[in-house]
Amino acid sequence: MMNRTYQPIVDYIDAQFEAYLQEELKIKRALSNYHDSRIHVCLYFISPTGHSLKTLDLLAMKSLDSKVNIIPVIAKADAISKAELQKFKIKLMSELVSNGVQIYQFPTDDETIAKINASMNGHLPFAVVGSMDEVKVGNKMVKARQYPWGVVQVENENHCDFVKLREMLICTNMEDLREQTHTRHYELYRRCKLEEMGFTDVGPENKPLSLQETYEAKRHEFYGERQRKEEEMKQMFVQRVKEKEAILKEAERELQAKFEHLKRVHQEERMKLEEKRRLLEEEIIAFSKKKATSEIYQNQPYMASGSNLKKEKDRKKISNAQVLDGGSRRTRESMRAGSLSYRAQSLPQR
């Protein structure tokens, strides 16, 4: 897709037309004091290639020719020779005509300027050289370009077409440029804009319509369109509400089904737990019974062995008592014998 670098220029020209149109549509107009900022001429500069026009140049001029007066200008005309420049001019004009690009033609209907304008139309596109440097030529200083091989003077008609272009724009055809802007380009913009807004000069039966009738028709059309859109929005809103309700009901059903499923799963789990609890209690009771029986079996041999032990202890106590009794008798006898011997020793001998 071709890069539309010329679109800002088109938008700027339209913006100036729109500003003038808004001033013109006011109830209290002041066009006599209005600062007219509409663009009256566009100098389209073309590179001195000597070849065909670029596609971008053709597209740009084709987009601008219905909005502004276009005057093609060859820039840096000193870059090619005079012979090549003349051929290049002829080639450019041929390409513009073949591609349907409408450039500004100097008017020839006025007898006072018809001859000079016809001559200037033959010089299109103008070939110019620009410079801000001043070079001394003879006894005066002129705007020119200094080269090793010579000097190219900006205001010398033998060197370039700058003077011709200046004279045609400022002195000869300025009023015609303004008139062409107003009667051709602005009127085209104004007509297209009003048609976009719905204003027409004739009705359905080709009868003339006043501005009031057009306004009323447009007003009724606008209200009808607004009511239609409002009804569509209401229906769309109701439809969306119904769809939302259906979605919510479906979600509610899904949640209810999920809840019922979880409830059944919970009941099943609870029943399983109750069953496990019952089995566990039964196992506990059975285990308790087995434990009691085991304790009884364990206590019976222990009681028998305990009685035998008691009898053995009693026998040992009896034997021990007998031993102690015999020992005590022997002890008493020995003690008695000792006391007798002691007495015998203590008696004096005679």
Side-chain angles (χ1 to χ4, degrees):
M1 184 177 182
M2 185 63 64
N3 185 14
R4 301 184 65 181
T5 55
Y6 53 87
Q7 189 60 41
I9 302 173
V10 176
D11 295 339
Y12 180 78
I13 295 172
D14 287 342
Q16 309 316 308
F17 284 156
E18 182 65 24
Y20 190 88
L21 177 61
Q22 293 300 322
E23 181 66 25
E24 194 176 42
L25 292 176
K26 288 182 179 179
I27 297 175
K28 294 183 178 181
R29 298 183 298 177
L31 294 178
S32 58
N33 299 326
Y34 177 73
H35 175 65
D36 190 358
S37 60
R38 293 175 294 178
I39 308 302
H40 300 296
V41 64
C42 172
L43 301 178
Y44 195 92
F45 288 88
I46 302 170
S47 299
T49 60
H51 305 294
S52 300
L53 281 171
K54 298 178 182 178
T55 305
L56 181 60
D57 292 331
L58 291 173
L59 289 174
M61 283 191 280
K62 189 65 179 175
S63 300
L64 292 170
D65 63 356
S66 62
K67 299 179 180 296
V68 68
N69 301 311
I70 298 178
I71 298 178
V73 178
I74 301 173
K76 299 179 182 179
D78 54 335
I80 56 177
S81 64
K82 287 187 176 181
E84 292 175 345
L85 182 60
Q86 191 61 32
K87 292 179 181 179
F88 188 43
K89 285 186 176 184
I90 296 172
K91 190 172 186 178
L92 289 180
M93 292 302 295
S94 176
E95 289 183 355
L96 292 175
V97 172
S98 62
N99 286 279
V101 178
Q102 301 292 327
I103 64 173
Y104 177 74
Q105 295 286 328
F106 299 114
T108 57
D109 51 352
D110 189 350
E111 295 181 357
T112 57
I113 56 174
K115 186 175 181 180
I116 187 172
N117 279 348
S119 175
M120 290 300 104
N121 286 330
H123 284 83
L124 290 175
F126 291 118
V128 299
V129 175
S131 177
M132 296 299 294
D133 299 330
E134 292 187 352
V135 179
K136 187 174 183 180
V137 178
N139 295 325
K140 62 180 180 178
M141 301 296 291
V142 297
K143 302 288 184 181
R145 283 184 176 273
Q146 181 73 52
Y147 293 101
W149 44 264
V151 177
V152 178
Q153 300 179 33
V154 173
E155 297 181 352
N156 190 335
E157 295 188 30
N158 294 323
H159 292 177
C160 69
D161 298 329
F162 177 79
V163 174
K164 296 183 179 67
L165 176 62
R166 184 178 61 187
E167 292 295 324
M168 289 297 101
L169 291 179
I170 298 175
C171 300
T172 308
N173 297 294
M174 179 179 289
E175 289 302 322
D176 185 71
L177 288 168
R178 297 177 59 150
E179 184 179 355
Q180 287 291 324
T181 298
H182 185 77
T183 59
R184 179 186 170 193
H185 302 298
Y186 171 71
E187 283 299 321
L188 177 62
Y189 176 84
R190 177 178 175 276
R191 182 172 71 250
C192 294
K193 195 69 176 181
L194 293 177
E195 287 177 354
E196 288 178 4
M197 296 170 63
F199 292 95
T200 56
D201 294 332
V202 294
E205 300 178 357
N206 292 329
K207 292 182 179 180
L209 288 177
S210 64
L211 181 62
Q212 181 66 25
E213 292 173 342
T214 304
Y215 171 75
E216 291 295 332
K218 191 65 179 176
R219 182 170 176 270
H220 289 304
E221 181 183 354
F222 172 75
Y223 279 125
E225 183 69 16
R226 190 183 68 175
Q227 290 178 357
R228 184 182 65 80
K229 288 185 178 180
E230 185 177 355
E231 187 65 26
E232 288 180 356
M233 291 180 66
K234 287 181 179 179
Q235 294 177 0
M236 185 181 298
F237 177 75
V238 172
Q239 182 66 24
R240 288 184 177 179
V241 169
K242 290 180 179 179
E243 292 176 357
K244 195 67 176 178
E245 287 180 351
I247 293 172
L248 291 175
K249 288 181 179 179
E250 182 65 23
E252 185 178 0
R253 285 194 295 269
E254 291 179 358
L255 288 174
Q256 186 65 26
K258 190 174 181 180
F259 173 75
E260 295 294 335
H261 174 70
L262 292 174
K263 188 176 179 180
R264 288 194 301 270
V265 171
H266 175 70
Q267 290 179 353
E268 292 175 358
E269 292 293 333
R270 185 176 179 181
M271 293 175 64
K272 289 180 181 179
L273 289 174
E274 291 292 337
E275 181 67 20
K276 288 182 179 180
R277 181 181 178 184
R278 186 182 62 79
L279 295 174
L280 184 60
E281 289 178 352
E282 291 177 356
E283 289 179 359
I284 291 172
I285 294 171
F287 178 75
S288 299
K289 290 180 180 180
K290 289 180 181 180
K291 183 179 179 182
T293 305
S294 176
E295 289 178 351
I296 292 172
Y297 287 145
Q298 289 177 358
N299 290 332
Q300 287 179 355
Y302 176 76
M303 290 174 65
S305 60
S307 61
N308 293 332
L309 290 172
K310 185 176 182 182
K311 291 178 179 179
E312 185 67 27
K313 287 181 179 180
D314 292 340
R315 284 197 299 270
K316 287 182 179 181
K317 286 181 180 180
I318 294 171
S319 60
N320 290 333
Q322 291 175 355
V323 171
L324 290 173
D325 188 29
S328 63
R329 286 197 298 269
R330 287 192 297 271
T331 302
R332 284 195 299 270
E333 289 176 357
S334 62
M335 288 177 66
R336 190 179 293 116
S339 65
L340 289 175
S341 62
Y342 175 75
R343 286 179 181 176
Q345 290 177 5
S346 63
L347 289 178
Q349 294 181 4
R350 295 180 179 177

